[in-house]
Amino acid sequence: MTTLGAVYLPQFPPERLRSVARAADEAGLEELWLWEDCFLQGGIASMAATLGWTERLRVGVGLLPVPLRNVALTAMEMAALNRFFPGRAVVGIGHGVQSWMGQVGARVESPVTLLREYADALRALLSGERVTTKGRYVSLDGVRLDWPPAAPPPIFAGATGPRSLRLCGEIADGTIVTGGNSPDELRAARALVDEGRARRSTGAGDPHTTVVYVHAATGPSAAERLDGERRKWGYDTIEGRSIAGGAEQFAEAIQRWVEAGADTVVLQPTPDEPDLEGFVRFVAQEVRPLVP
């Protein structure tokens, strides 16, 4: 069954998150996703608060930029969240926007090498192993979590380029595909991820979840607001890259991304969405019943 979610953009004020999270939880939304964009909101702090304010909502962070965080710290945070809120915390890792990484002095020469080393170490730590490794970027000397999660949580990764998408298939349990990708572009990304999965030494046939963000707007100003997204991101067209209209139009469009390989479709409101609480209720109560 397709999973539906929504994004709480970091452009929205942090203090607004509580109201939106509670509205999503009460309406029955399956997932609420957060972003750790520089220099807006911290992903772990926002995730922990959201999980604490809600009862059943799954909360994702996509993505944590790995150059910003020591892998042992990320493992500690993920372990704690999964012990506090079993099965409700979904964490994705990625390269981070390179210009932002440069601003904070964390940019690396080979983001692909870092992400591979990081994911391998993170998986071992979350499995309760004592880890000693000395890679190009990740070095650990006998590190073991005292409080690992009861069961290792899935590790998601996200990227855009072909080499990095293959790496996501190879090292992660799920891949996060950014907004602005049409169904055909998602299909091409999935093929690259599958190439990476085929390279895995173990678990090549294990399930791999594909999460895709999709620009979305409803209401009388939907077309105008989505055209603003087109201008902002430099798309030649917003058609085929977004969803607009009422619940039936949303459900019909979501199916196109599902047929292209999405397991989870996360609807991304525009930064000028006038009613965030109404948006998550609309997705949960009006769109969800129409999506298989």
Side-chain angles (χ1 to χ4, degrees):
M1 186 175 85
T2 305
T3 298
L4 285 188
V7 179
Y8 185 88
L9 296 172
Q11 287 82 5
F12 303 139
E15 59 271 20
R16 182 79 184 277
L17 177 56
R18 181 175 184 173
S19 174
V20 175
R22 286 188 166 175
D25 199 43
E26 292 166 2
L29 186 70
E30 292 158 277
E31 295 184 352
L32 186 67
W33 282 76
L34 312 170
W35 295 355
E36 186 168 78
D37 277 6
C38 298
F39 301 95
L40 294 163
Q41 298 177 32
I44 295 297
S46 297
M47 170 181 264
T50 302
L51 288 165
W53 290 326
T54 57
E55 296 294 331
R56 47 153 300 281
L57 185 70
R58 287 195 301 274
V59 182
V61 172
L63 302 162
L64 296 179
V66 298
L68 282 177
R69 296 176 175 275
N70 184 281
V71 67
L73 177 61
T74 298
M76 291 163 60
E77 300 279 28
M78 287 182 66
L81 288 168
N82 278 275
R83 292 180 74 101
F84 292 150
F85 310 100
R88 293 179 55 209
V90 182
V91 175
I93 58 174
H95 301 313
V97 176
Q98 295 306 292
S99 60
W100 292 340
M101 299 303 100
Q103 280 184 271
V104 299
R107 187 168 184 167
V108 298
E109 185 178 358
S110 177
V112 168
T113 300
L114 169 57
L115 189 59
R116 180 187 296 278
E117 293 180 357
Y118 199 102
D120 289 346
L122 182 60
R123 187 179 300 279
L125 289 168
L126 291 172
S127 297
E129 299 176 20
R130 185 177 300 278
V131 183
T132 295
T133 183
K134 188 168 180 60
R136 183 174 178 182
Y137 299 110
V138 175
S139 294
L140 299 171
D141 183 7
V143 176
R144 181 181 181 276
L145 298 181
D146 286 340
W147 296 104
I155 296 172
F156 284 68
T160 55
R163 187 180 176 197
S164 294
L165 283 167
R166 291 188 187 97
L167 180 64
C168 290
E170 190 174 351
I171 65 173
D173 303 300
T175 297
I176 301 170
V177 179
T178 188
N181 282 282
S182 68
D184 284 344
E185 289 165 333
L186 173 61
R187 193 172 286 109
R190 253 313 276 268
L192 292 167
V193 170
D194 288 343
E195 289 179 22
R197 292 177 67 196
R199 297 176 182 174
R200 296 180 67 159
S201 56
T202 60
D206 291 347
H208 188 95
T209 302
T210 299
V211 179
V212 62
Y213 298 130
V214 179
H215 296 291
T218 188
S221 63
E224 179 183 352
R225 288 186 284 116
L226 285 172
D227 191 60
E229 292 291 83
R230 178 192 63 78
R231 296 192 302 271
K232 174 184 176 181
W233 296 104
Y235 303 142
D236 54 351
T237 179
I238 198 67
E239 292 184 14
R241 302 179 184 275
S242 65
I243 303 175
E248 291 184 358
Q249 287 79 17
F250 266 61
E252 181 181 349
I254 286 167
Q255 191 60 31
R256 292 196 286 272
W257 274 274
V258 172
E259 290 170 357
D263 301 294
T264 299
V265 177
V266 184
L267 300 172
Q268 179 179 324
T270 61
D272 54 354
E273 166 59 52
D275 182 7
L276 292 173
E277 292 83 358
F279 182 82
V280 296
R281 292 190 189 101
F282 167 74
V283 175
Q285 296 177 340
E286 298 185 45
V287 179
R288 168 76 272 180
L290 302 179
V291 176

